[in-house]
Amino acid sequence: MYQICTRFPSVVLAKSLFHCFYLTYSDDDYNVGMAILDKAISFRGPGDTPSPYQEMALRTAVKFSYIRFHASGEPKCLEQAIDLLRTLLDGISLEDPRHDAFIRLFFREWSNGRTACSSI
């Protein structure tokens, strides 16, 4: 955890904002958290390599969008969560066991509501 905090503290901040959003549904927490995560997801390092924290940022962004959908009921929020999940899955090989696990968790959470969201 220390390495994450010193190298990419904004992702840790975004995860904290997610936990606040999960409890309060504050638009401010959502907007600031997603802006931070968007920068982490689109960050390119030396040699045009993706950030080592891109997967963590994508998982958190999926959770933000998913919870926002359950709070608002707006289909565009679910569409955003699905798009982010696709982006996350694109970065993981089909042979990686996490690939199928992310899909199963997402759809299990879809059927259970917001209660299982911490799994992703």
Side-chain angles (χ1 to χ4, degrees):
M1 188 67 161
Y2 177 75
Q3 184 179 21
I4 292 171
C5 292
T6 58
R7 287 192 169 178
F8 221 89
S10 60
V11 174
V12 175
L13 174 60
K15 289 180 88 168
S16 296
L17 289 167
F18 167 75
H19 292 292
C20 291
F21 177 70
Y22 183 79
L23 296 172
T24 64
Y25 298 128
S26 165
D27 284 338
D28 290 338
D29 290 338
Y30 176 83
N31 292 332
V32 172
M34 287 299 281
I36 291 169
L37 293 169
D38 185 47
K39 288 181 183 179
I41 292 166
S42 62
F43 175 81
R44 303 304 286 181
D48 201 34
T49 58
S51 165
Y53 305 104
Q54 184 179 45
E55 183 180 316
M56 181 190 319
L58 279 166
R59 284 194 324 252
T60 305
V62 168
K63 290 191 283 186
F64 258 117
S65 297
Y66 177 78
I67 294 300
R68 185 158 195 185
F69 168 71
H70 277 282
S72 69
E74 294 181 22
K76 70 179 180 179
C77 297
L78 179 60
E79 183 180 341
Q80 182 183 26
I82 291 170
D83 287 343
L84 289 165
L85 181 64
R86 279 188 192 150
T87 303
L88 174 63
L89 293 173
D90 284 346
I92 300 172
S93 77
L94 293 174
E95 290 79 29
D96 190 323
R98 297 175 304 156
H99 190 276
D100 291 341
F102 285 141
I103 295 170
R104 281 192 304 274
L105 285 171
F106 183 80
F107 286 105
R108 181 179 64 192
E109 290 173 13
W110 166 257
S111 63
N112 290 340
R114 66 178 259 189
T115 57
C117 193
S118 61
S119 307
I120 292 182

